[in-house]
Structures are given as C-alpha cells and as structure tokens.
Amino acid sequence: KSGLDPGGAWHAWGMACLKAGNLSSAREKFNRCLKPPMDLNQLNHGSRLVQDVVQYLEATVKPIFIADEDYFATLRELETTLRTRSLSLEMMCEGKIQHKSYYQECLFYLHSYGTNLAIISFYMRHDCMREALLHLLNKESPSEVFIEGIFVPSYESGKLHMLENLLETIDPGLESWGVYLIAACKYLQRKNYYHILYELQQFMKDHVRAAMTCIRFFTHGAKSYTELGGKQTWLLKIKDHLKVYLQEVSRSAGRKKMALTFRKKMSATDVSRHINTVDLQMEVTKFLHQCESSGASQMTSSSLPTLFGNNNMKMDVACKVILEGKNIEEGFGIAFRVLQDFQLEASEVYSKVAKQLVKQQKYSEIRQLLKCVNESGVAAKNDGDNIILNCLNEFKNIPAEDLDNLIQDMDSDENKIQAYVMCNKLRSAYLVSVRQEKARAVQLVQHVRQLAESSGDDVMKAICAQWL
C-alpha cells in the first residue's frame, strides 16, 4: 500500500528462516529479493545481501570432531542434506563440504546469485583448490579472477607448490592454463616479486623468460664488479636455461609442427648469440673483478655497465675493460671481442678511451692504445690519426713533448698538419707542408700564412710569404 520496496522485508524474512533452520523456506523468500549479477566475471563477491547469507551460513556451521558425525545430525539437517544433494553441483569437494548441508546451502546461493570470484573464493577458503580451478576453467573466467581468487591467496598462504601440482594434474601440458600463468607472471613483475616469478617460470618450463629473470638477478642493484663477481652463479643459470631451451627446440623440430604455446619462443641463432654474450660477460666479470680486487680500478660511473644493456652500455663495458687493466694491452683483447661480437663503433670506443687517458695524463698509454689498434688487423687507415685528432679537439693543454710524440705517431702528413694547426703550432705545420708535392704544398703554406696573419704571428707570415 505504501509503495515501499519489499526487498528488505523479504531479505529479513529469509534471514529469520535461516536462523530458525528452515532452509527451504529461506530459499523461497530470498528468491524474491536476490538477483544474479549482470556479469558473472566482475571482480567482486556479488551483492551485499548474498554475502550476508553466505557469511551467516558459514558462521553457523561448527566443526564436529567426532568420527561419525552423521550420527549426531538432526533430522532437519538430514532432510535438507537429502534435498540439496539433488542439486548435483558441478563438482564435489574432496574436503568436508559435501557432508555439511549448510555448506551445500552456501554453494546453492553462490551458484544462483554470486559471481565466479565469490564461488572460487569460497572453495579456496575451505581448502578446495581443485574445485576452484575447475570452476575457473569451466566458466572460462578472465585471468583477473584467477589472480585475485586463486593465485594471490595461494602464494600468500604458502601454497604455491600445491597450486602448481594441481595445475599439472588437471592439464600436464599446462596449455589450458597458459593465459592465467602469463597473467600471473605479469602481476608478479609489476609487484617486483622476482623470486616468486622465477619459481613460477621454472614450473612453466618457460626457459627464455626464466633466463631473462636471471639477468635481472645478476645485474640489479650491483654497484661494482666485485659485487657482480659474487653473483656469477646467475650467469651459469642463464646458460643452463638457454641450453635446455635449445635442446627442446631441436627435439620439437623433428615433429611436423610445433604446438602453439604460451612459452616465449626464440630462434636457435638468437639463443646461441645470447649464450655467447653470457660467456663474454663471465670473462668481463672475472677480469674486472680481478682489477677491482688488485686496486687497479680507477673508473667510477653512476651505473654499472654490463653486456646485457643497449649498445651504448656495451661500449662502456669495452672502455672500462681497456682502462682498468694494469696496462692498455691487458684488457684490449677482451674489449676487442666485445666490439667485434656486437659490431660496435670501434673508433668511437677508442676515442673515448684516449680522452680518458688524456684526463689521467697517461700519454704513453695513448701510444700503446694506437699500437694495439693498428695491430688488431681490422683498423682502417686513418683510425689511429682520428683518435689523436679527437683528443686534440678537446684537450689543448697536453705538455709539448707528449704532444709532439703523439703527432709524430700519426701516419698521414695531412693529419699531422691539421693537428699542428689545431694546437697553434704553425711553424711545425709549415715544416710538414713544404715537404709535400709542389701544388699541394702551395695550398697548405697559403693556409698556414692566412692563420699566421689572423693570429698576428708576423715572423711565420713572413717565412710563408718568402717560400711562396
């Protein structure tokens, strides 16, 4: 008569029936006020009303620690058990659920009015993980339901191994769990739970991704190569994962077609390249660890370069190896292999090293670097000259004797003239210029005369004018 919503009244009446133990009347009353959710896969536990009913039923059941508990069941409970048995629920739990009419009642309300997450969470609360997983698969629920309902509760309660065993029991190939497992990995990565991630990747036999996680364990947070020296077991694990992956690829290559899989794929040539990178990184780590231990290391940088970074970082590794040995020659061999394997811009690395040596005032070592570059067998004709020119470009205050020695080491007279001009040694530039073939010599001396004129060097200007 008053036009009020009767839902609240029906709900109160239903709860009263429940409390009185009249389960069938309660169902009838709740049927008038409870509605199934629009989307069964929404990430909540359904309406507050349904949650109240389930909470009450769960709280009502007191565990009875007597072997033959059916003997003590009241007639009414027995009657309800018989009635709810006919529901023939999709799965029967291995735990105690099926013995308890009140739990059967919970399942009735959850299946009728609850979300998939609510049903799965109920199974998980009562140690029925298998039923939770089967429900997830049967309903093809999205991966968010798996994460929130099954995965997070499993690792939080220390039952990750139990979950893995059940996943494998239900589907030994794990293919039907692929989407869920990849989602779990992404979730763990977002949370920075790398140890659980690595454990899961090993279970999934996803060797390429497991190797990538090992790279993170090796590089993350290390401030020196002494620290990396203590983390070399991760490099061995990376190699192991990649080798196992190669074996699996070669085994499956014999079959007609490879099954579509959620595991990360990589070509055999790429895997071999990565194994080579790991070998080289081991060599670099041992060498730099030794240098740091012996106190030879002077170079400090904000981030520690490794061969697992981009090309700029790999070039930093090559520079570090050349600079940190007892002398240039000691680390040059390893650095040269880094440059060759990753096809890096060698002249850029050599110039960087030379500039660093000028800063450290180790001029004789620059000459040693040039010797190593020339003897490497792959240096272009002007590589050595360009290294010196690049240094002179930045550093004008190299002591005269060292400067002369460096310029004398240059191959091309043209480059020598350029170097002398850069350092304002016009007399030396003139002396090399006049030794050239006549027509070219005239051009060069004219250029030196112009420079002398603009810098106010009258003596040099007169010498050039007289020669011309």
Side-chain angles (χ1 to χ4, degrees), residues 92-98 119-120 122-134 159 162 166:
M92 292 312 266
C93 177
E94 291 159 7
K96 289 281 178 67
I97 291 187
Q98 66 267 43
I119 296 166
I120 284 167
F122 175 80
Y123 282 132
M124 291 295 286
R125 276 200 302 281
H126 298 287
D127 293 329
C128 295
M129 197 187 281
R130 181 187 169 80
E131 284 62 35
L133 288 167
L134 290 172
K159 292 180 180 170
M162 183 179 162
L166 279 169

Side-chain angles (χ1 to χ4, degrees), residues 334-354:
I334 297 175
F336 184 70
R337 275 179 49 213
V338 170
L339 298 174
Q340 290 290 295
D341 281 10
F342 299 107
Q343 297 175 332
L344 301 173
E345 198 55 62
S347 55
E348 199 179 319
V349 171
Y350 299 145
S351 291
K352 251 183 168 181
V353 170

Side-chain angles (χ1 to χ4, degrees), residues 47-93:
S47 75
R48 187 67 254 171
L49 301 181
V50 180
Q51 290 178 55
D52 287 347
V53 172
V54 173
Q55 272 171 12
Y56 173 76
L57 286 167
E58 281 182 295
T60 307
V61 179
K62 302 283 188 294
I64 306 166
F65 300 107
I66 296 170
D68 191 8
E69 52 184 86
D70 284 349
Y71 183 79
F72 289 87
T74 64
L75 283 171
R76 188 189 294 131
E77 276 184 345
L78 200 56
E79 184 191 340
T80 320
T81 307
L82 293 169
R83 193 164 50 241
T84 51
R85 269 288 153 80
S86 62
L87 275 173
S88 79
L89 294 160
E90 292 147 34
M91 318 101 185
M92 292 312 266
C93 177

Side-chain angles (χ1 to χ4, degrees), residues 198 201 205-215 238 240-246 248-249 263-267 270-271 274:
Y198 182 50
Q201 286 167 338
K205 297 184 175 59
D206 194 347
H207 294 292
V208 175
R209 287 193 180 97
M212 288 156 78
T213 306
C214 290
I215 291 175
I238 298 168
D240 289 343
H241 284 300
L242 294 176
K243 282 178 175 172
V244 171
Y245 177 76
L246 270 185
E248 287 182 0
V249 168
R263 297 170 185 91
K264 190 168 179 66
K265 287 197 188 76
M266 195 179 273
S267 71
D270 279 351
V271 175
H274 287 307

Side-chain angles (χ1 to χ4, degrees), residues 345-379:
E345 198 55 62
S347 55
E348 199 179 319
V349 171
Y350 299 145
S351 291
K352 251 183 168 181
V353 170
K355 285 171 188 173
Q356 201 67 33
L357 291 170
V358 172
K359 272 184 188 170
Q360 295 168 9
Q361 298 182 344
K362 294 181 175 175
Y363 305 109
S364 62
E365 293 205 12
I366 296 178
R367 299 177 78 184
Q368 200 184 9
L369 173 68
L370 296 174
K371 181 171 167 282
C372 289
V373 170
N374 289 329
E375 287 172 0
S376 68
V378 292

